[in-house]
Amino acid sequence: MSERNALQRRIRAWLILFIVCLVLSGLTAFPLVTELRWANSLVSHAWLSRVGEGLEQADAQYPFLLYGTDWLAFAHLVIAVFFYGVLRDPVRNIWIIDAGMIACAGIIPLALVCGPVRGIPFGWSLIDISFGVFGVIPLLVLRRLVKRLEALPATA
């Protein structure tokens, strides 16, 4: 197998992993009330109980508030679609990887500013920050692989 083919296969594998994680993350944002009921039945934690209670009340009295999390879920799915462009042409669409890395970095100030404003415990903000920290890892690997692919001589 040529170096070009090997790099393309590795790029595809990392991209598929990243896309699947984005899709799963998006899909889990739709059934929040059910997920919190399930989580609270498994774990006894004051913050999870409070969040579950808040979601239950919002769902019962103001279900339109949960529409915001539907949009969050949709955004994850749309972002995953953008990464299909990288699958099609990694070198030309490396900007999508760069944009993803910027988004991952943006999670940190968002969580550090909005978390306290919304009364989110610091430990839970750290969990939110971890999505950016762990999300950027496959993107850094992908960027390095795409740059290596770009540096290879063109094939005839």
Side-chain angles (χ1 to χ4, degrees):
M1 178 183 302
S2 73
E3 184 178 1
R4 176 174 294 281
N5 288 342
L7 277 172
Q8 288 171 330
R9 286 182 66 154
R10 288 182 66 199
I11 289 168
R12 275 191 216 102
W14 278 100
L15 274 168
I16 289 168
L17 171 70
F18 191 76
I19 290 169
V20 165
C21 288
L22 272 172
V23 168
L24 290 175
S25 180
L27 292 177
T28 62
F30 284 113
L32 286 181
V33 175
T34 302
E35 288 172 345
L36 261 294
R37 279 187 202 131
W38 177 74
N40 280 313
S41 72
L42 294 175
V43 177
S44 179
H45 189 277
W47 176 249
L48 279 180
S49 295
R50 183 168 185 226
V51 172
E53 183 181 311
L55 282 172
E56 292 277 352
Q57 286 181 10
D59 190 40
Q61 297 175 15
Y62 310 103
F64 53 86
L65 290 175
L66 298 178
Y67 189 52
T69 60
D70 296 338
W71 279 102
L72 169 71
F74 178 71
H76 279 80
L77 301 176
V78 169
I79 293 166
V81 169
F82 277 97
F83 280 91
Y84 176 71
V86 183
L87 268 175
R88 291 190 60 189
D89 189 341
V91 172
R92 190 175 76 187
N93 292 314
I94 195 168
W95 68 271
I96 297 169
I97 296 170
D98 293 338
M101 290 173 20
I102 292 167
C104 285
I107 290 171
I108 297 167
L110 178 87
L112 292 175
V113 171
C114 295
V117 168
R118 301 290 184 202
I120 307 297
F122 183 69
W124 288 90
S125 290
L126 291 177
I127 292 170
D128 292 337
I129 288 169
S130 74
F131 282 92
V133 172
F134 291 115
V136 80
I137 293 169
L139 295 176
L140 287 167
V141 171
L142 275 165
R143 191 171 201 299
R144 192 187 87 234
L145 293 172
V146 171
K147 284 297 188 181
R148 281 180 46 199
L149 181 65
E150 182 182 36
L152 290 177
T155 56

